[in-house]
């Protein structure tokens, strides 16, 4: 008896299909239940296909995390561009709101991006994408506090956004706090503090 037919993909399409299947598996299953075999099954291809394209599960996850950072940079940039007010602090508020939207809309990928319980294979694409995300934030913070305080200011903003995002994802946000309202208020406080530091 013949086994089930495997889907036919062009090379680039297969790679994208495997990444989509991996993201879906991470969304549906505990991390420890996600394997190359499970990803191949979801993509409808041979068990050897993920290994051929990515080598290991860590290699596939690194590629997915790199794509996550690239999407992250794009979405934050678009959020800043959409606001009619061009002042740096208004753009920063838009970016922090976009940060939470990205994290809560893409929890599986967000977890990979920040190394949640998984070892990623070394990846130049991942390294470049992560640096691009940091550079984007540092450039925008520098417009508020000046270049000398940009690194510390960026660390403050990113740490705050990440902390709120993780409280939301882990369902540890106190029930009386609306995180979307909170990020507005917290960002205003951050900007006021950054401006005061920049003027000191």
């Amino acid at each position: 008896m013949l086994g089930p037919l495997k889907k036919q993909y062009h090379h680039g399409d297969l790679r994208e299909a495997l990444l989509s299947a991996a993201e879906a598996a991470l969304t549906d299953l505990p991390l420890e239940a996600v394997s190359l075999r499970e990803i191949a099954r979801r993509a409808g291809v041979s068990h050897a296909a993920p290994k051929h394209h990515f080598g290991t599960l860590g290699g596939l996850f690194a590629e997915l995390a790199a794509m996550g950072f690239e999407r992250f940079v794009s979405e934050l940039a678009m959020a800043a561009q959409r606001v009619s007010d061009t002042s740096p602090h208004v753009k920063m508020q838009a970016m922090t709101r976009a940060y939470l939207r990205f994290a809560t809309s893409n929890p599986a990928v967000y977890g990979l991006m920040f190394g949640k319980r998984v070892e990623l294979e070394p990846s130049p694409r991942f390294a470049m994408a992560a640096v691009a995300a940091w550079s984007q934030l540092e450039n925008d913070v520098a417009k508020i506090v000046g270049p000398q305080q940009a690194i510390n200011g960026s660390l403050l903003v990113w740490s705050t956004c990440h902390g709120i995002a993780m409280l939301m994802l882990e369902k540890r946000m106190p029930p009386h706090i609306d995180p979307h309202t909170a990020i507005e208020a917290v960002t205003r406080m951050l900007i006021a503090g950054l401006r005061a530091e920049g003027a000191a």
Side-chain angles (χ1 to χ4, degrees), residues 45-112:
V45 298
S46 74
H47 295 154
K51 186 173 183 179
H52 173 73
H53 282 271
F54 301 103
T56 65
L57 187 62
L60 191 157
F61 283 168
E63 188 74 3
L64 191 56
M67 291 175 60
F69 267 118
E70 290 164 359
R71 279 161 38 193
F72 176 78
V73 168
S74 176
E75 290 187 20
L76 266 62
M78 286 191 293
Q81 291 167 5
R82 279 195 293 263
V83 296
S84 56
D85 190 327
T86 59
S87 58
H89 70 279
V90 173
K91 288 184 176 295
M92 181 61 63
Q93 287 177 312
M95 291 174 72
T96 58
R97 291 193 299 269
Y99 189 114
L100 290 194
R101 283 197 303 272
F102 179 89
T104 54
S105 299
N106 305 276
V109 171
Y110 186 81
L112 288 183

Side-chain angles (χ1 to χ4, degrees), residues 129-145:
V131 168
W134 175 264
S135 297
Q136 177 191 54
L137 176 61
E138 191 174 325
N139 288 338
D140 284 300
V141 170
K143 295 172 185 175
I144 298 173
V145 299

